[in-house]
Amino acid sequence: MTTPSSRPTSADVLVVGAGPAGSAAAAWAARAGLDVVLADAATFPRDKTCGDGLTPRAIGEMQKLGLEDWLRAHTVNEGLRAHGFGQTLLLPWPGGSLPDWGSAVARTELDDHLRTVAIKSGARAVDGARAVGVRREGERVAAVELRDAEGTYEVACRWLVVADGVRSPLGKLLGREWHRDTVYAVAGRSYVDSELSDDPWISSHLELRDDQGELVTGYGWIFPLGDGTVNLGAGTLATSRRPTEVAIKPLMQTYADTIGADFGLSGELRMPTSALLPMGGAVSNVAGPNWALIGDAAACVNPLNGEGIDYGLETGRLVAEHIASGVGLGEAWRSTLVEHYGEAFSIARRLAGIATQPKVVAALGPAGMRSDWLMTLALRWMGNLVDDADRDRAARVWRWAGRRSMARDARPPFA
């Protein structure tokens, strides 16, 4: 935590929020030779509601940061074990232009390590400092007001990166608006002892039922952490037209009771938390002349699996490249988000919106789970494992569907 004498007063780049997105942005901006301040409201290490899973797309970004050896010292997984409707399928990570392995690291450790990487890259970190106001000069942000235990102070900046999470209080001050007409999620996670903590597969249950045996439009997961525990969680999908009424923490307990014997679970669910997740770029006002929203703050969360760490790391790198090149932000940053994620988010949230209907899930789920080929294709699409470099048929179909979906969107991603 800072004291008044150690408070920063200015920076080339002020990054607010030290999760994966903010720490990646700070690291890359500092490596580009910019003076960077990385501020967060919490004191590290701190927890974060998350499934803790790192898909191959996230692994690729962490490799760019030089963290492959650190990751391989943790659990490594080969792919997804999909359960549901009387079937179990093993779906290896497809590889291609992305790594062919994944991992899982508790966010308390992951975020602390990524923040340390940013500091070692040259960023100055500030703990326990919450952004509570902005001072503008015209449309530009001239300074951000931070509040710590000793009071408030200003940090002047040339560039501001907003990475303060799904609620994004600083983003709201700058005009960010979340639109709930497209799909969003309510998700929870917990930790529990398991005999399969070293399982080389992450598991997802696509047939999730409540304590009355009714089908819930969502999914459950088990992510092995390699330390005697697994991350156990559940998420439900909703829109403003079909809001969810499921209580997540009881649903997690029902899920644990249902699968406990198969996964060698023992003891109580520990540290249960839940969060509301804007998804698929369902926010507007994501940038101004010298400021930009990234990661969860920009609703860069996969509508089909709730994953956001990969997008956080990517948008952190991309925004740093924008700033270092002098291209500027504003419409250029919104266009970058649309170019990288617009088509995929559009079709994914359209498909996820269909999945908010229990009758559709009950009708299509069994057919899908009977096809290894279809589920392998779904894993690649649902896991956002189609990279810009991919030119195979599956990638072309996904991009074609995305373009068609964007053309029909009443509110395209990031608009």
Side-chain angles (χ1 to χ4, degrees), residues 352-403:
I354 295 172
T356 62
Q357 304 174 58
K359 291 182 179 179
V360 174
V361 175
L364 299 182
M369 286 296 293
R370 284 195 294 268
S371 170
D372 283 30
W373 174 82
L374 185 59
M375 288 304 295
T376 298
L377 194 62
L379 170 66
R380 190 169 172 201
W381 289 347
M382 291 172 64
N384 192 29
L385 303 180
V386 176
D387 190 73
D388 291 342
D390 292 331
R391 295 291 182 267
D392 59 279
R393 181 177 295 179
R396 294 198 303 271
V397 169
W398 185 240
R399 283 191 283 264
W400 173 84
R403 289 192 297 271

Side-chain angles (χ1 to χ4, degrees), residues 83-85 186 205-211 213-221 233-237 246 248 251-252 254-256 258-259 361:
H83 306 262
F85 306 100
V186 182
H205 291 78
L206 307 179
E207 183 184 3
L208 190 63
R209 296 185 180 273
D210 61 21
D211 58 356
E214 295 296 324
L215 188 65
V216 176
T217 56
Y219 44 85
W221 67 80
T236 64
L237 299 172
V246 175
I248 286 293
L251 179 63
M252 285 196 295
T254 300
Y255 174 49
T258 302
I259 66 169
V361 175

Side-chain angles (χ1 to χ4, degrees), residues 302-320:
N302 190 323
L304 291 173
N305 67 4
E307 212 275 341
I309 296 175
D310 52 359
Y311 303 111
L313 294 168
E314 285 179 0
T315 54
R317 173 174 54 83
L318 291 170
V319 79

Side-chain angles (χ1 to χ4, degrees), residues 74-287:
H74 295 75
T75 182
V76 169
N77 57 64
E78 302 174 18
L80 173 70
R81 182 192 291 112
H83 306 262
F85 306 100
Q87 303 288 329
T88 297
L89 302 176
L90 291 179
L91 307 171
W93 296 122
S97 60
L98 295 170
D100 62 357
W101 58 283
S103 184
V105 181
R107 288 292 295 273
T108 303
E109 180 182 359
L110 177 72
D111 288 16
D112 191 51
H113 190 75
L114 286 170
R115 179 174 171 274
T116 298
V117 169
I119 294 170
K120 289 182 177 179
S121 298
R124 293 177 285 157
V126 182
D127 266 1
R130 183 180 302 277
V132 295
V134 294
R135 177 167 58 83
R136 298 179 188 250
E137 292 179 353
E139 295 183 356
R140 298 176 66 86
V141 171
V144 174
E145 184 180 13
L146 300 179
R147 177 181 296 147
D148 61 17
E150 303 298 323
T152 60
Y153 62 100
E154 270 194 356
V155 178
C157 58
R158 292 171 53 204
W159 305 96
L160 170 64
V161 177
V162 181
D164 55 350
V166 293
R167 296 183 182 276
S168 192
L170 180 56
K172 290 179 182 177
L173 289 176
L174 293 167
R176 170 199 189 253
E177 186 177 357
W178 172 27
H179 307 286
R180 302 194 189 196
D181 49 343
T182 56
V183 70
Y184 62 92
V186 182
R189 75 100 231 264
S190 62
Y191 296 102
V192 61
D193 295 336
S194 171
E195 296 173 4
L196 296 183
S197 178
D198 293 312
D199 190 353
W201 299 85
I202 64 172
S203 289
S204 180
H205 291 78
L206 307 179
E207 183 184 3
L208 190 63
R209 296 185 180 273
D210 61 21
D211 58 356
Q212 302 300 312
E214 295 296 324
L215 188 65
V216 176
T217 56
Y219 44 85
W221 67 80
I222 296 284
F223 292 168
L225 294 173
D227 61 356
T229 68
V230 295
N231 181 307
L232 180 149
T236 64
L237 299 172
T239 66
S240 57
R241 296 175 66 180
R242 286 187 289 272
T244 181
E245 298 179 356
V246 175
I248 286 293
K249 292 181 182 179
L251 179 63
M252 285 196 295
Q253 186 62 61
T254 300
Y255 174 49
D257 294 341
T258 302
I259 66 169
D262 293 335
F263 286 85
L265 305 183
S266 61
E268 297 182 351
L269 301 184
R270 299 188 299 276
M271 300 171 62
T273 61
S274 61
L276 204 61
L277 295 178
M279 306 168 102
V283 295
S284 54
N285 298 319
V286 294

Side-chain angles (χ1 to χ4, degrees), residues 57 182-183 278-283 295-296 298-312 314-315 336-353 381-384 398-399 401-403 405-406 409 411-415:
R57 193 171 183 126
T182 56
V183 70
M279 306 168 102
V283 295
D296 288 356
C300 289
V301 177
N302 190 323
L304 291 173
N305 67 4
E307 212 275 341
I309 296 175
D310 52 359
Y311 303 111
E314 285 179 0
T315 54
T336 292
L337 292 176
V338 171
E339 175 188 353
H340 282 269
Y341 309 118
E343 292 175 1
F345 279 174
S346 176
I347 186 63
R349 69 190 192 184
R350 196 177 298 278
L351 293 173
W381 289 347
M382 291 172 64
N384 192 29
W398 185 240
R399 283 191 283 264
R403 289 192 297 271
S405 179
M406 281 272 285
D409 276 340
R411 188 190 303 279
F414 311 108

